[in-house]
Amino acid sequence: MSGHSKWANIKHKKEASDKKKGKIFSKLAKEIMVCVKQSGKDPNSNPRLRMALIEARSANMPRENIDRAIKKGAGELGNVVYEEIVYEGYGPQGTAIIVECLTDNKNRTIGDVRMTFDRNNGNLAASGAVGWMFQRKAHFVITDEANADEEKLMDIVLDAGAEDIEVEDGIAEIWGAPEAFTDIAKALEDAGIETSESGIVRRPDNTVGVNDLSTAQQILRLVDRLDDLEDVQAVHHNANIASEVLDEIDAQE
């Protein structure tokens, strides 16, 4: 699976989510709160918070929302307790799916996740069932064609820890080890290059090729509905939907 294929497979969800900024900001706020609660509100000594703040800026999250989330995490606006939970399951055609959650009510979350799998041609699996198929990676997407140049990006991010750069159709994806995230982000920022998406994702080692329109629609519907759940922070999958099928889905929307 090429990097662009990965981006193409999630862009439908991203485009839909971009119309629901409140949901995006809520996810980012939760992550910031957890980061602060765990390791303090100084991003210089809290790498996870530093990463969350980079993601928040990438999403154009208002400064007041960020500040409020930091204060909540620090206990200045009441005590907030969220538990991190990861669920694993299967979608249509054996697609492997990982659902990352932050919740203050584990029973609600497992019920919502299980029901969403059941109602959308999927099934929840035991912990460890599909997690081994993915590797955690720092991930950056650049959609500005002027900067989506492999040689240019190599000069900028290779020394910062980037492991792989993929460019296709004017879209560049940069991959690296999770611990290289902040260094790569700083290198891009210093070079004046904006990212359309950045974060730590789970990259599949192998993918499931999907060439059938109905199956592709079912997979995207399941992923979208999981992503829309209140407690879900991110959904990762290993479906590689054929470009012509994605074009057909685009034409119907």
Side-chain angles (χ1 to χ4, degrees), residues 69 88 117 137 191:
E88 304 176 32
F117 269 106
K137 292 289 183 180

Side-chain angles (χ1 to χ4, degrees), residues 132-148:
W132 59 273
M133 302 181 191
F134 297 78
Q135 293 186 51
R136 288 174 60 79
K137 292 289 183 180
H139 180 230
F140 302 82
V141 178
I142 297 163
T143 54
D144 176 10
E145 289 194 34
N147 291 316

